[in-house]
Amino acid sequence: MSDLDLGGDRRRTDPIKGKKVNFRYLGNSVLPPAASVTSVAAVPFAEDGRIVCVELRDRGVDIPGGHVRERETVLEDAVRREVLEEASIRLAEPKLVEVIESDYYGSRKEDLTYMLTFAAYVSDFLPFERNEESTRRVLLTDDEFIDNYRASEPEVMRRVIEHAKSVLGLTGE
């Protein structure tokens, strides 16, 4: 399916000033229905164990990811697309790391949405070109990444990275 055939973003979750949103971290043993997943991200690792990050125009250094499109049904394909768009890399066999439940649209079961984080090795580095979201691609150690991470709570992201490494069987730095 081409990018044009995928439709627009599935239920965008743009920040609303003052809106309280609760997140529940569910691990990787529960997979929600694909239609309830609104976004995906990846912790991509280079062969040497460093994290392949992007510098995003609106929030600095982060892992690549973004919104699932309306007609995307294979979530691994969605994360591959997002990582290719933002970081100009291809992933080998993404593995689920974390399912995060959000009550952004309400707390009833049918209102809950999910964000999925995957871990994978990079299978191919393509030439990077700046785009509307990413200004550069950079490889960082875990500590370098956390020291530069400003998007949300660094300790939560540190746990996600540790879990990603565990899922891939990586030890140490």
Side-chain angles (χ1 to χ4, degrees):
M1 196 177 282
S2 80
D3 218 26
L4 295 175
D5 297 333
L6 297 175
D9 290 343
R10 184 185 297 166
R11 291 185 89 177
R12 279 194 73 84
T13 51
D14 294 321
I16 298 173
K17 191 174 177 109
K19 181 174 178 67
K20 175 75 171 120
V21 179
N22 296 298
F23 297 107
R24 276 192 344 148
Y25 293 82
L26 306 176
N28 64 356
S29 60
V30 177
L31 187 61
S36 298
V37 177
T38 58
S39 62
V40 292
V43 182
F45 290 96
E47 220 173 84
D48 65 4
R50 289 183 296 168
I51 302 167
V52 182
C53 311
V54 289
E55 187 168 311
L56 300 172
R57 293 182 191 280
D58 62 344
R59 53 180 197 266
V61 173
D62 206 345
I63 58 175
H67 287 92
V68 176
R69 301 276 175 84
E70 291 171 344
R71 291 187 282 282
E72 279 180 313
T73 56
V74 179
L75 298 170
E76 291 84 354
D77 290 346
V79 76
R80 283 185 173 105
R81 176 188 52 76
E82 279 293 337
V83 168
L84 182 61
E85 288 174 5
E86 287 189 4
S88 300
I89 56 175
R90 289 196 178 102
L91 299 178
E93 300 179 47
K95 296 183 183 341
L96 185 60
V97 171
E98 186 72 58
V99 175
I100 305 167
E101 182 181 80
S102 166
D103 68 356
Y104 180 88
Y105 291 103
S107 57
R108 296 178 311 158
K109 185 176 181 177
E110 61 270 16
D111 295 330
L112 298 173
T113 58
Y114 300 87
M115 299 171 276
L116 273 52
T117 304
F118 292 84
Y121 284 104
V122 175
S123 64
D124 200 12
F125 282 89
L126 303 171
F128 179 82
E129 290 187 30
R130 298 179 107 177
N131 57 59
E132 64 222 23
E133 293 181 79
S134 306
T135 59
R136 69 184 179 126
R137 172 179 68 202
V138 60
L139 280 71
L140 301 173
T141 66
D142 303 9
D143 289 335
E144 290 170 335
F145 174 74
I146 295 300
D147 287 346
N148 289 282
Y149 180 72
R150 305 285 177 263
S152 66
E153 301 169 35
E155 286 312 307
V156 170
M157 182 56 80
R158 183 179 297 281
R159 284 193 304 272
V160 169
I161 290 169
E162 288 170 0
H163 194 188
K165 291 174 84 168
S166 173
V167 164
L168 292 180
L170 289 169
T171 57
E173 284 200 45

